[in-house]
Structure formats: structure tokens, C-alpha cells
């Protein structure tokens, strides 16, 4: 019996030693690193899924918001809050696009005033369109609302139009109308924004 136990012990020691050598080898280290990476990826995905299901923000912070961090009971609590300056630009973009100003013209007006994008770059047609399409401004995914649903939808409908006149406007020109020939073509001398129209007191006028 003693001989049998001794033999089994030697086998177990040999197996453990072999496992230790494997873990210390390049192949074993690669396997351990791969497992750690897979476990970390699964944990991250699980955390993101739980945040999304709970209605909390995920991903990068959209233009118009900033992150407010506070320490509560020793823990850092992050909250998405409205950036007063950038949010005003978001509302301006939505209003201009809703009223027929092309994203390209909106971008040029913002650039003329020195307004920068979130990354400190210039405004392009695509950058303006991304702002218009972003659903965070509706108050989704844990963000405070910047635009009401009707206004957001109206601006997005304008982007999606495919009629010839809309295509012409998107390429840089808006066909003049008999009543508002300067709509989307003329710019304010003070701020550089394109002129658009708005109903005021029952009448549509330039603003």
C-alpha cells in the first residue's frame, strides 16, 4: 500500500511540475494572456449590456453634453449633463436644418464664426448631419433631452428628402421662391448665420 501511495504521489508531483513548466513556457504564457483577454472582453460586454438595459449612457459623449463626476460614499459617480455652449449650437443646427438650410451651409456658417466641433475641427456637411441624427438629443440612453421629438423628426425628415429640389439644395444651392428668395442664401452680417424663416405672430418672416 505504501508503495502504491508513493507511486501515485510521484505521478501527481510530475503532473504538477509539468503544468508549472507549461504555464512558464511561451506557449503557456500566451494561453494565459489569451484567457485573460477573453475574460476581460466578456466582462466589458456584460457591463455595457447591463448599462444599456438600465438606460444608462454607453460609448462616447455626444456633442452638446459633458461629464459631471462626483464622489459619493467613496465612489466616483459619472453623470451626463448639458454643456450650455455646445447645446446651444445643437439647437441652432436643428433649427436651421429643419427650416431648409443645407448641412453644408450650416457648417460654413459655424466655421465662419469660429465654432469648432467636439474634436476641435471644422464643421463639414457630414458632421452637421451626424448631430441632426443623434438620438441622444431626444433624451435617450441616459442623456437629458435637448430637442423635443417633433423638432428632431422634422430636422431628420429634411435630411432624408430625395426630391430634386432637395438634392439641389444639398449640393449647395436652394432654388429661390417668389416670397422668400433669400431663404438659405443670405447670411447675417453680425453672426454669420444663414437667414431662414420662422412663423411669428401668424406670419412667416426672416430671422
Amino acid at each position: 500500500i505504501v508503495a502504491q501511495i508513493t507511486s501515485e504521489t510521484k505521478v501527481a508531483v510530475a503532473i504538477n511540475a509539468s503544468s508549472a513548466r507549461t504555464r512558464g513556457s511561451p506557449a503557456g504564457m500566451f494561453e494565459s494572456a489569451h484567457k485573460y483577454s477573453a475574460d476581460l472582453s466578456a466582462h466589458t460586454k456584460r457591463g455595457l449590456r447591463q448599462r444599456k438595459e438600465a438606460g444608462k449612457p454607453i460609448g462616447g459623449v455626444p456633442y452638446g453634453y459633458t461629464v459631471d463626476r462626483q464622489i459619493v460614499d467613496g465612489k466616483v459617480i459619472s453623470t451626463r449633463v448639458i454643456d450650455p455652449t455646445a447645446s446651444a449650437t445643437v439647437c441652432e443646427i436643428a433649427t436651421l436644418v429643419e427650416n431648409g438650410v443645407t448641412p453644408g451651409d450650416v457648417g460654413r456658417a459655424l466655421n465662419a464664426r469660429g465654432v469648432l466641433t467636439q474634436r476641435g475641427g471644422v464643421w463639414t456637411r457630414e458632421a452637421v448631419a451626424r448631430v441632426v441624427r443623434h438620438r441622444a438629443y431626444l433624451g435617450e440612453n441616459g442623456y437629458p433631452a435637448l430637442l423635443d421629438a417633433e423638432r428632431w423628426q422634422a430636422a431628420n425628415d429634411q435630411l432624408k428628402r430625395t426630391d430634386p429640389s432637395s438634392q439641389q439644395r444639398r449640393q449647395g444651392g436652394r432654388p429661390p421662391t417668389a416670397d422668400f428668395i433669400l431663404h438659405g442664401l443670405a447670411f447675417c452680417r453680425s453672426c454669420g448665420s444663414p437667414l431662414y424663416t420662422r412663423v411669428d405672430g401668424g406670419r412667416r418672416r426672416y430671422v
Side-chain angles (χ1 to χ4, degrees), residues 111-179:
N111 294 333
R113 286 156 44 196
V115 179
L116 301 178
T117 65
Q118 190 171 28
R119 296 184 178 182
V122 298
W123 288 92
T124 63
R125 180 192 181 282
E126 291 73 20
V128 171
R130 281 195 296 270
V131 167
V132 175
R133 295 189 185 104
H134 212 301
R135 299 189 65 87
Y137 305 128
L138 290 169
E140 296 184 359
N141 301 325
Y143 287 92
L146 286 180
L147 304 172
D148 59 62
E150 183 178 357
R151 189 177 179 189
W152 183 90
Q153 190 61 57
N156 276 269
D157 287 344
Q158 183 64 28
L159 283 180
K160 295 177 182 177
R161 296 189 194 282
T162 57
D163 59 273
S165 61
S166 179
Q167 291 178 353
Q168 185 175 359
R169 289 197 298 271
R170 292 184 184 187
Q171 292 169 0
R174 177 186 173 90
T177 65
D179 296 328

Side-chain angles (χ1 to χ4, degrees), residues 2-150:
V2 173
Q4 182 179 358
I5 293 176
T6 302
S7 176
E8 292 177 351
T9 302
K10 289 181 179 180
V11 171
V13 170
I15 292 174
N16 291 334
S18 176
S19 298
R21 286 195 298 273
T22 299
R23 288 193 299 270
S25 67
M29 294 174 65
F30 175 80
E31 182 179 354
S32 297
H34 179 72
K35 184 177 184 304
Y36 173 79
S37 177
D39 291 344
L40 181 62
S41 176
H43 176 74
T44 301
K45 291 179 179 179
R46 183 167 57 252
L48 291 175
R49 184 175 63 252
Q50 291 174 348
R51 286 183 63 85
K52 184 176 181 180
E53 291 173 351
K56 296 181 179 180
I58 59 175
V61 180
Y63 183 79
Y65 299 99
T66 188
V67 179
D68 177 62
R69 293 182 174 88
Q70 297 184 3
I71 299 178
V72 179
D73 296 331
K75 296 182 179 179
V76 178
I77 306 298
S78 298
T79 307
R80 270 52 168 180
V81 297
I82 294 174
D83 181 319
T85 302
S87 63
T89 303
V90 171
C91 294
E92 179 185 1
I93 289 173
T95 300
L96 291 172
V97 172
E98 177 188 356
N99 282 274
V101 182
T102 69
D105 282 341
V106 173
R108 283 186 283 274
L110 294 174
N111 294 333
R113 286 156 44 196
V115 179
L116 301 178
T117 65
Q118 190 171 28
R119 296 184 178 182
V122 298
W123 288 92
T124 63
R125 180 192 181 282
E126 291 73 20
V128 171
R130 281 195 296 270
V131 167
V132 175
R133 295 189 185 104
H134 212 301
R135 299 189 65 87
Y137 305 128
L138 290 169
E140 296 184 359
N141 301 325
Y143 287 92
L146 286 180
L147 304 172
D148 59 62
E150 183 178 357

